[in-house]
């Protein structure tokens, strides 16, 4: 199979690390070679969290600028921050619900005009899917299921070497049973959005 | 049973490199594990902390890395297989015992994990710890993937027992914090009880003994060199006149680059996994039929210098390159794109790199620096101290969450070197400037290496205020226990040492215990402490809210909200306190009820008394 490189970006607390790990579990179950990298420690204290998944005939767990096949952004301004990972064929999937950084909340920074900026980005990349994933997560029960919504959207739009059944099984095997129903609901809302 | 403890082999799991190392140690029959936590190594000890009650493995979070290495050395001297883990800078702390332990050697297999952090994701420097192998004479192994990290850890115990030397397992963040497929092997039987055989003429490092031991170490080094020259961990892939020598995660980037450049099979790659003693013979054999060789490694030109020395010795004069202005930098980490570009450049291969999209017409994205959590007691302590001691006082700080106090508006950090440096550097700054200096240190760091600095301050009558930010846990690295922690809520039987008793017994007369959420009383204590000529200590006691939540000790408190009619919008709360639960809605200051934990600090900061607990049916 050909190699697939997925770069994932979000904000501490949005569940990007779990989402990344679930993509890895799904790939493993499908018998695909996989490498995953994460940032832990200091970077997680409310800061930017980046992770990467590479699949297929690859060994590197990280992705250089311009080399992401898929950019999965959990927060729109963070998607813009990671835009440099994209090339003119990249599929960008992004939440368009803003989570302004604290610098903006207290009036010491300007949050970009997201609709305009994503419009510009769309013209530069292969394709761009933007949706209010926070709203779908709320609909599923809690904003905490945002990462499941994003996985659903990914499964729908990306040409992955495994299908959504593998992802659903990974969710089932690796998340708390108490939240399973909600997580699957969130995944489906993302998938069918 | 935790799947990591499964005695059977064969199953494949997607594991973090750090968990691969745990499994490797378990398969080797590790019976004794010590550490001081630190990114990117922490998941190893944290996993052993979880697993230990299910097994007969002894585990401890030691007071610091030196202690961890010494406790481990004692166990290994009694013949028990021992793992000691730390981050790269931790090995500086443990360097003193390390150097002489190399002389004494070990009975039971002993593996010392040093987790380096190129790029400094969570560290104060990016030193290259492979040089500790050279400095100490100990063997160094470097894995290239999580799966190999497991295999190498297991092998390191056998190697250690074969050589009777501790083995350094050197990883980097991209190994520790990457997930890859790890195939489990069978578990060796664990031997948890050992015997210490007395032999002072071999085990007491007095000069007469050490003169003999150093000679023995050099003999062991030669033996290790023979093993390195033949080791399966050093292997060649592909053939041809062009060669690449690499180790660690760089090997992954090299392999991908060779695939991308269509060079598979036509370039010879020598992957080194056993990097000290440097396998000179193997290198010379590799170089002999090459036209040109590139060395690909992160940080310092360790392999490159050794390779060039080996070439010189064998009279080989082919070009060998690695670190230079046109090739690899000694700064930061490598990545696949850089490695591909440099390989293509060095070997004169044409290729078209994927072009990143142009981002110059996209709007600037505001920064998102990490921040102290809502309700973090450090914010309250910093606010009170700055309020009293002002902006001109110098504030040396230390290593932990509270280092984030460096950011405005708190701006409560002026100088930082290493663990424990706050108090000792404050002594020097105070003496040289003639001004009372305020040192910030956390509770775990106080035990790690703050007590010795405090002794110096007291003994020499330095004019300093030591603020101990006691949040009841080692918060930054993942809420580990330390000697000042009450371990009962975690279900562990550990003796707690009172910081207050230590400070008092050391003879500090100006001692204050503050509850930072009570800002008036805290500020009064700071006033008295600052007025005192000599050593004063203020212990600021309040649980880390994340830890309190974990142990069920976070009280249910009403969230706070801003009374918009009373608020005069001068934004003292926003601009001086900067709690991330605050935000602006137009001109109105708002508090996000989902983030507020009701710590009540903002309410005490507002001069208009406009921030108050929400009544039921209020915001939340």
């Amino acid at each position: 199979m050909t190699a697939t490189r997925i770069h994932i970006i979000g904000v501490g607390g949005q569940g990007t690390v779990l989402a990344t790990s679930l993509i890895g579990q799904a790939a493993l179950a499908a018998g695909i070679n996989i490498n995953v990298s994460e940032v832990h420690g200091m970077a997680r204290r409310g800061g930017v969290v980046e992770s990467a998944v590479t699949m297929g005939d690859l060994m590197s767990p990280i992705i250089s600028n311009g080399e992401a096949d898929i950019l999965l952004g959990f927060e729109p301004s963070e998607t813009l921050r990671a835009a440099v990972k994209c090339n003119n064929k990249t599929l960008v999937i992004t939440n368009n619900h803003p989570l302004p950084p604290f610098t903006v909340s207290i009036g010491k920074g300007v949050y970009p005009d997201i609709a305009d900026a994503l419009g510009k980005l769309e013209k530069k990349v292969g394709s761009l899917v933007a949706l209010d994933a926070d709203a779908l997560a709320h609909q599923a029960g809690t904003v905490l299921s945002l990462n499941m919504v994003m996985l659903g959207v990914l499964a729908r739009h990306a040409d992955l070497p495994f299908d959504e059944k593998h992802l659903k099984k990974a969710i089932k095997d690796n998340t708390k049973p108490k939240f399973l129903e909600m997580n699957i609901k969130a995944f489906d809302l993302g998938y069918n959005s | 049973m935790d799947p990591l403890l499964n005695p059977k082999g064969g199953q494949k799991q997607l594991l973090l490199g750090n968990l691969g190392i745990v499994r490797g140690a378990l398969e080797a029959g590790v019976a004794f594990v010590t550490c001081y936590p630190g990114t990117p190594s922490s998941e190893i000890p944290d996993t052993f902390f979880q697993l230990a009650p299910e097994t007969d493995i002894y585990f401890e979070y030691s007071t610091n890395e030196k202690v961890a290495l010494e406790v481990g050395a004692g166990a290994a001297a009694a013949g028990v297989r021992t793992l000691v883990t730390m981050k790269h800078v931790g090995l500086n702390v443990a360097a003193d015992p390390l150097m002489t332990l190399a002389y004494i050697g070990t009975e039971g297999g002993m593996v010392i994990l040093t987790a380096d952090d190129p790029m400094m994701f969570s560290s104060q420097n990016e030193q290259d710890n492979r040089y500790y192998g050279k400095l100490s004479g100990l063997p160094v192994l470097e894995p290239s993937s999580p799966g190999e990290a497991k295999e190498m850890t297991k092998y390191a115990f056998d190697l250690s027992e074969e050589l009777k030397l501790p083995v350094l397992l050197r990883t980097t963040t991209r190994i520790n914090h990457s997930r890859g497929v790890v195939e489990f092997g069978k578990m060796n039987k664990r031997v948890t009880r050992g015997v210490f055989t007395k032999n002072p003429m071999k085990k007491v490092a007095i000069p007469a003994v050490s003169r003999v031991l150093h000679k023995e170490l050099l003999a062991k080094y030669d033996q290790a060199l023979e093993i390195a020259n033949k080791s399966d961990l050093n292997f060649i892939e592909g053939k041809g006149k062009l060669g690449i020598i690499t180790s660690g995660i760089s090997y992954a980037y090299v392999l991908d680059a060779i695939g991308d450049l269509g060079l598979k099979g036509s370039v010879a790659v020598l992957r080194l996994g056993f990097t000290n003693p440097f396998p000179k013979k193997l290198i010379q054999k590799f170089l002999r039929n090459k036209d040109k060789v590139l060395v690909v490694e992160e940080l310092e030109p360790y392999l490159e210098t050794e390779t060039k020395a080996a070439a010189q010795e064998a009279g080989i004069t082919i070009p060998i390159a690695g670190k230079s202005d046109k090739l690899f930098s000694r700064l930061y980490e490598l990545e696949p794109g850089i490695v591909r570009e440099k390989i293509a450049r060095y070997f004169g291969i044409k290729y078209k790199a994927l072009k990143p999209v142009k981002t110059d017409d996209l709007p600037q994205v505001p920064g998102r620096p990490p921040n102290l959590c809502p309700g973090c007691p450090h914010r309250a302590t910093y606010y009170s101290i700055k309020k009293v001691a002002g902006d001109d006082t110098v504030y040396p700080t230390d290593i932990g969450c509270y280092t984030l106090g460096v950011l405005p508006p708190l701006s409560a950090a002026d100088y930082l070197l290493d663990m424990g440096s706050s108090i000792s550097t404050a002594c020097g700054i105070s003496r040289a400037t003639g001004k009372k200096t305020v040192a910030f240190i956390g509770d775990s760091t106080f035990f790690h290496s703050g007590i010795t600095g405090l002794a110096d301050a007291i003994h020499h009558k330095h004019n300093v205020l030591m603020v101990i930010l006691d949040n009841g846990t080692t918060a930054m690295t993942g809420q580990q226990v330390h000697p000042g922690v009450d371990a009962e809520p975690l279900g562990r039987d550990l003796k707690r040492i009172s910081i207050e008793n230590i400070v008092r017994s050391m003879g500090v007369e100006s001692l204050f215990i503050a509850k930072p959420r009570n800002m008036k009383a805290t500020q009064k204590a700071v006033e008295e402490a600052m007025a005192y000529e000599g050593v004063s200590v203020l212990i600021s006691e309040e649980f880390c809210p994340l830890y309190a939540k974990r142990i069920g000790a976070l009280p249910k408190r009403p969230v706070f909200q801003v009374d918009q009619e009373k608020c005069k919008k001068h934004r003292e709360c926003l601009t001086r306190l900067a709690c991330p639960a605050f935000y602006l809605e137009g001109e109105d200051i708002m508090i996000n009820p989902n983030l507020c934990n009701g710590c009540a600090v903002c309410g005490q900061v507002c001069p208009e008394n406009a921030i108050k607990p929400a009544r039921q049916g209020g915001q939340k």
Side-chain angles (χ1 to χ4, degrees):
Chain A
M1 66 159 285
T2 51
T4 307
R5 297 169 167 100
I6 310 175
H7 192 83
I8 299 157
I9 190 163
V11 178
Q14 284 190 315
T16 53
V17 170
L18 177 61
T20 309
S21 164
L22 292 174
I23 296 170
Q25 297 294 350
L28 180 70
I32 310 287
N33 175 53
I34 182 139
N35 313 287
V36 179
S37 65
E38 300 161 4
V39 170
H40 296 216
M42 185 76 104
R44 288 176 84 174
R45 296 273 180 275
V48 183
V49 182
E50 290 191 271
S51 54
V53 177
T54 66
M55 291 180 274
D57 190 17
L58 286 173
M59 199 178 159
S60 305
I62 57 173
I63 299 167
S64 295
N65 289 348
E67 299 187 357
D69 298 302
I70 299 164
L71 172 63
L72 189 63
F74 282 49
E75 198 281 340
S77 75
E78 295 309 325
T79 303
L80 295 175
R81 199 191 303 281
V84 71
K85 294 285 174 192
C86 302
N87 58 52
N88 60 9
K89 295 206 174 80
T90 304
L91 163 65
V92 178
I93 297 173
T94 183
N95 181 8
N96 63 18
H97 184 91
L99 186 60
F102 183 61
T103 43
V104 170
S105 310
I106 61 170
K108 292 212 167 140
V110 181
Y111 194 82
D113 177 342
I114 287 301
D116 178 61
L118 289 182
K120 281 181 181 155
L121 182 60
E122 186 170 12
K123 291 193 186 112
K124 299 166 188 282
V125 298
S127 57
L128 185 140
V129 179
L131 75 160
D132 187 342
D134 278 61
L136 294 180
H138 272 298
Q139 203 182 321
T142 162
V143 72
L144 294 175
S145 63
L146 172 74
N147 50 358
M148 302 298 147
V149 174
M150 294 303 291
L151 284 179
V153 186
L154 176 77
R156 174 66 178 272
H157 293 275
D159 182 20
L160 298 172
F162 50 83
D163 56 34
E164 101 260 16
K165 280 183 222 118
H166 291 113
L167 266 171
K168 276 192 178 170
K169 181 159 190 315
I171 294 170
K172 210 184 234 169
D173 294 347
N174 296 283
T175 64
K176 285 188 183 143
K178 195 164 69 164
F179 302 121
L180 180 62
E181 199 182 324
M182 185 182 69
N183 282 338
I184 294 294
K185 190 176 170 196
F187 181 93
D188 287 339
L189 282 168
Y191 191 85
N192 297 317
S193 68
Chain B
M1 184 178 66
D2 190 292
L4 283 168
L5 291 170
N6 191 338
K8 282 193 202 129
Q11 63 275 46
K12 282 184 182 174
Q13 286 209 13
L14 187 70
L15 287 187
L16 211 56
N18 277 341
L19 295 197
I21 291 167
V22 169
R23 176 67 192 186
L26 288 168
E27 287 180 12
V30 74
F32 204 96
V33 183
T34 66
C35 77
Y36 187 79
T39 314
S41 73
S42 304
E43 294 80 7
I44 303 169
D46 293 355
T47 305
F48 276 110
F49 179 75
Q50 298 303 331
L51 296 181
E54 285 188 58
T55 71
D56 53 358
I57 295 170
Y58 177 76
F59 169 78
E60 68 170 49
Y61 290 112
S62 306
T63 319
N64 65 28
E65 293 87 352
K66 172 175 141 70
V67 173
L69 188 61
E70 291 161 349
V71 172
V80 172
R81 284 199 159 187
T82 300
L83 174 69
V84 183
T85 70
M86 59 195 69
K87 67 184 290 171
H88 60 329
V89 286
L91 199 53
N92 301 334
V93 180
D96 198 359
L98 181 80
M99 299 304 296
T100 307
L101 178 60
Y103 282 25
I104 305 275
T106 182
E107 286 301 318
M110 180 171 183
V111 177
I112 301 161
L113 172 94
T114 160
D116 291 16
D117 190 16
M119 195 65 200
M120 299 164 278
F121 292 100
S122 204
S123 303
Q124 67 266 42
N125 75 30
E126 55 175 354
Q127 66 185 51
D128 188 333
N129 271 12
R130 292 178 296 176
Y131 288 101
Y132 269 114
K134 282 252 138 319
L135 190 62
S136 63
L138 294 176
V140 176
L141 305 183
E142 291 185 68
S144 294
S145 68
E148 195 183 29
K150 191 222 89 178
E151 298 301 335
M152 268 192 193
T153 305
K154 189 175 188 179
Y155 167 69
F157 283 94
D158 293 337
L159 179 66
S160 168
E161 283 178 8
E162 184 180 352
L163 293 167
K164 302 267 174 213
L165 281 179
V167 170
L168 290 168
L169 181 68
R170 188 259 190 176
T171 55
T172 57
T173 303
R174 295 301 183 188
I175 299 296
N176 300 98
H177 286 171
S178 285
R179 285 175 205 273
V181 180
V182 177
E183 187 169 353
F184 285 19
K186 270 192 204 147
M187 269 207 224
N188 286 347
K189 201 176 164 333
R190 217 167 16 245
V191 181
T192 52
R193 235 342 131 217
V195 177
F196 183 91
T197 312
K198 290 192 182 200
N199 188 357
M201 287 300 112
K202 289 279 186 200
K203 294 180 185 174
V204 179
I206 53 172
V209 173
S210 289
R211 282 180 203 119
V212 178
L213 292 180
H214 192 190
K215 204 174 157 188
E216 288 181 8
L217 172 60
L218 295 189
K220 286 180 184 175
Y221 192 83
D222 286 343
Q223 190 191 345
L225 178 60
E226 282 309 304
I227 299 171
N229 271 316
K230 290 179 197 146
S231 173
D232 291 344
L233 303 179
N234 303 326
F235 55 82
I236 299 168
E237 285 176 334
K239 47 190 161 189
K241 294 281 181 191
L242 307 178
I244 294 174
I245 299 174
T246 187
S247 72
I249 191 67
S250 306
Y251 169 65
Y253 306 150
V254 166
L255 273 200
D256 288 354
I258 284 180
D260 293 340
L261 294 170
L263 293 174
K264 227 170 222 169
S266 58
V267 171
V269 179
L270 171 53
R271 201 302 300 263
L272 296 176
F274 196 141
T275 52
N276 189 63
F278 193 72
K280 205 163 59 181
K281 271 191 216 158
L282 175 73
I283 294 288
Q284 288 164 343
K285 202 175 143 207
F286 180 76
L287 295 177
R288 246 177 216 120
N289 61 356
K290 297 286 173 294
D291 290 341
K292 218 177 170 185
V293 166
L294 181 66
V295 183
V296 185
E297 61 190 316
E298 283 178 327
L299 301 176
E300 301 301 322
Y302 172 83
L303 303 177
E304 183 186 344
T305 308
E306 292 291 321
T307 299
K308 285 175 173 170
Q312 200 277 342
E313 211 170 275
I316 296 166
T317 56
I318 59 163
I320 298 167
K323 303 287 170 181
S324 77
D325 291 348
K326 289 200 171 123
L327 292 168
F328 296 108
S329 169
R330 286 163 64 186
L331 296 171
Y332 318 138
E333 63 170 358
L334 294 179
E335 50 173 276
I338 293 173
V339 171
R340 189 186 319 114
E341 186 219 321
K342 303 301 181 190
I343 289 176
R345 177 195 290 257
Y346 188 67
F347 293 127
I349 291 149
K350 280 196 189 138
Y351 93 103
K352 248 176 95 183
L354 286 167
K355 274 209 187 104
V357 296
K358 284 218 169 79
T359 54
D360 43 6
D361 64 329
L362 294 178
Q364 273 279 313
V365 181
R368 199 183 289 272
N371 200 344
L372 295 171
C373 303
C376 174
H378 299 333
R379 179 177 291 105
T381 309
Y382 283 144
Y383 181 90
S384 287
I385 286 171
K386 296 269 325 233
K387 179 119 187 157
V388 175
D391 284 335
D392 292 337
T393 298
V394 180
Y395 299 98
T397 191
D398 230 300
I399 293 181
C401 288
Y402 52 95
T403 319
L404 293 172
V406 70
L407 297 172
L410 297 169
S411 304
D414 294 311
Y415 197 75
L416 170 64
L417 296 175
D418 64 311
M419 293 285 283
S421 68
S422 59
I423 176 64
S424 348
T425 57
C427 293
I429 291 167
S430 152
R431 199 53 81 165
T433 60
K435 288 182 179 150
K436 184 124 189 168
T437 304
V438 179
F440 292 115
I441 190 166
D443 42 347
S444 186
T445 311
F446 175 78
F447 284 100
H448 180 287
S449 43
I451 298 172
T452 44
L454 179 60
D456 191 86
I458 296 166
H459 182 60
H460 296 288
K461 303 186 171 181
H462 289 298
N463 191 20
V464 293
L465 165 58
M466 185 190 213
V467 179
I468 304 172
L469 301 151
D470 182 2
N471 62 3
T473 186
T474 316
M476 181 89 229
T477 50
Q479 304 171 356
Q480 293 86 359
V481 297
H482 61 69
V485 167
D486 173 11
E488 212 201 299
L490 302 170
R492 303 301 162 101
D493 178 25
L494 298 165
K495 173 86 177 165
R496 181 186 189 184
I497 304 171
S498 149
I499 294 176
E500 183 186 342
N501 288 350
I502 294 174
V503 174
R504 212 176 279 289
S505 70
M506 286 171 86
V508 172
E509 283 153 20
S510 171
L511 171 61
F512 305 87
I513 314 291
K515 301 285 176 196
R517 288 175 50 232
N518 183 343
M519 299 183 85
K520 214 169 179 180
T522 303
Q523 285 164 24
K524 188 167 169 287
V526 179
E527 275 166 25
E528 283 179 44
M530 287 304 288
Y532 185 85
E533 188 74 23
V535 177
S536 23
V537 172
L538 182 128
I539 306 174
S540 185
E541 284 179 349
E542 168 89 25
F543 270 137
C544 161
L546 300 181
Y547 178 67
K549 201 172 169 193
R550 173 179 162 200
I551 62 170
L554 188 67
K556 279 225 163 86
R557 298 183 291 229
V559 300
F560 277 60
Q561 65 183 19
V562 180
D563 182 339
Q564 302 299 345
E565 278 166 26
K566 274 186 161 183
C567 174
K568 294 211 173 130
K569 310 202 190 310
H570 48 58
R571 299 186 183 175
E572 171 88 3
C573 50
L574 271 183
T575 54
R576 306 277 283 180
L577 199 61
C579 171
F582 281 68
Y583 65 99
L584 280 172
E585 206 169 272
E587 287 302 301
D588 289 347
I589 299 162
M590 308 289 287
I591 297 173
N592 182 340
N594 296 319
L595 293 177
C596 176
N597 79 359
C599 77
V601 167
C602 53
Q604 299 167 63
V605 165
C606 178
E608 279 81 38
N609 243 342
I611 311 178
K612 290 197 161 151
R615 270 169 306 194
Q616 279 187 338
Q619 279 197 35
K620 200 166 194 177

